[in-house]
Amino acid sequence: MSTPHNQAKLGEIAKTVLLPGDPLRAKFIADTFLKDVKQFNTVRNMYGYTGTYNGKLVSVMGSGMGMPSLGIYVNELYKFYGVEKVIRVGSTGSYSPDCKLFDVIIAQGACTDSNFAYQFKLPGTFSAIGNFDLLLKAYQTANKMNVPAHVGNVFSSDLFYSASPDEWKKWADMGCLCVEMETYALYCLASYYKKQALTILTVSDSFITKQETTPEERQTGFINMMKIALELI
């Protein structure tokens, strides 16, 4: 079996999948944390790997940038490969002065400017939230690791470059801690397929202080987020 975007056979992908946007971050996680690693996907260079962490089977795969790209991979993982749990591990831009570079943000829910949920033909606005059990365990794990972790609403945007560069302040005023581009779609699909999902983010830049990390730090430096996610297997 394979799909248009995944050459894996049934059984080659674990029930739990860590999902960074960057396929090179997926490779880094596999190389750094997993044992007995086997690569199951190279289609479009969206690398996917399966291995063990503390004796438990886990997979890690890139999702690309944005909700349309993540939607392809998560649909296929949930629908065709029997995945039960997807944990997004990504970078984010902070909207809050309390969320500093390299802090962890756990997405309790996601707001959006996307029309992703139109496909479900709902007679209103869908509130996309993460799985509580995963969220609670992630927060408790972060506390045990003494990692600064914030829990709250995130803003999932369709736009990386906006023609209205100050509109982020409106979302910040409504309590959104940060911006990224995928979580709303992930939480929608988890609800639709009756699966589990959680997003764990690392602050890569700040809209408040204008500080930012380097591309190298974003690819390989967000170790705490990765360790927290792996404890949720």
Side-chain angles (χ1 to χ4, degrees):
M1 170 191 169
S2 63
T3 70
H5 312 94
N6 197 328
Q7 67 198 86
K9 299 175 182 177
L10 280 178
E12 291 184 336
I13 300 177
K15 296 297 184 181
T16 298
V17 178
L18 271 60
L19 204 71
D22 184 352
L24 291 179
R25 188 181 296 150
K27 185 178 187 303
F28 175 81
I29 292 171
D31 290 344
T32 305
F33 295 105
L34 305 188
K35 294 182 179 179
D36 303 318
V37 175
K38 295 182 180 179
Q39 187 168 18
F40 63 77
N41 192 58
T42 60
V43 177
R44 293 176 177 260
N45 287 329
M46 199 60 73
Y47 304 137
Y49 307 87
T50 296
T52 61
Y53 179 78
N54 289 339
K56 297 179 180 179
L57 201 65
V58 62
S59 296
V60 56
M61 183 180 187
S63 72
M65 291 187 289
M67 286 177 262
S69 182
L70 176 138
I72 290 171
Y73 295 101
V74 171
N75 263 294
E76 293 182 352
L77 290 171
Y78 281 152
K79 185 175 182 179
F80 299 115
Y81 288 101
V83 170
E84 294 293 330
K85 191 185 305 180
V86 173
I87 303 165
R88 166 164 154 69
V89 282
S91 57
T92 188
S94 171
Y95 283 173
S96 168
D98 297 325
C99 300
K100 306 182 187 310
L101 290 191
F102 296 103
D103 281 5
V104 167
I105 296 176
I106 304 169
Q108 183 176 13
C111 303
T112 193
D113 58 7
S114 170
N115 200 29
F116 188 86
Y118 86 94
Q119 62 186 299
F120 305 117
K121 307 300 181 185
L122 297 165
T125 302
F126 181 74
S127 297
I129 61 172
N131 177 270
F132 178 77
D133 291 335
L134 293 179
L135 187 152
L136 179 61
K137 187 173 181 180
Y139 184 69
Q140 291 172 335
T141 300
N143 285 339
K144 289 178 183 178
M145 293 171 55
N146 292 316
V147 173
H150 313 268
V151 178
N153 226 345
V154 306
F155 175 51
S156 297
S157 181
D158 270 346
L159 303 174
F160 189 90
Y161 298 108
S162 174
S164 303
D166 289 329
E167 282 198 350
W168 70 270
K169 296 176 182 178
K170 297 177 182 178
W171 294 103
D173 286 342
M174 291 298 291
C176 289
L177 298 178
C178 62
V179 61
E180 47 88 79
M181 300 182 71
E182 291 85 17
T183 296
Y184 187 84
L186 173 60
Y187 287 1
C188 281
L189 292 172
S191 294
Y192 179 71
Y193 286 110
K194 310 297 188 291
K195 305 286 189 174
Q196 297 181 49
L198 187 69
T199 287
I200 306 173
L201 303 164
T202 299
V203 176
S204 61
D205 57 280
S206 171
F207 281 68
I208 306 295
T209 65
K210 309 303 180 185
Q211 294 175 299
E212 59 183 25
T213 55
T214 66
E216 291 77 16
E217 288 173 325
R218 289 192 290 274
Q219 182 177 312
T220 62
F222 297 166
I223 298 295
N224 287 330
M225 167 182 69
M226 300 170 188
K227 290 180 177 178
I228 293 168
L230 286 165
E231 292 300 320
L232 305 183
I233 301 171

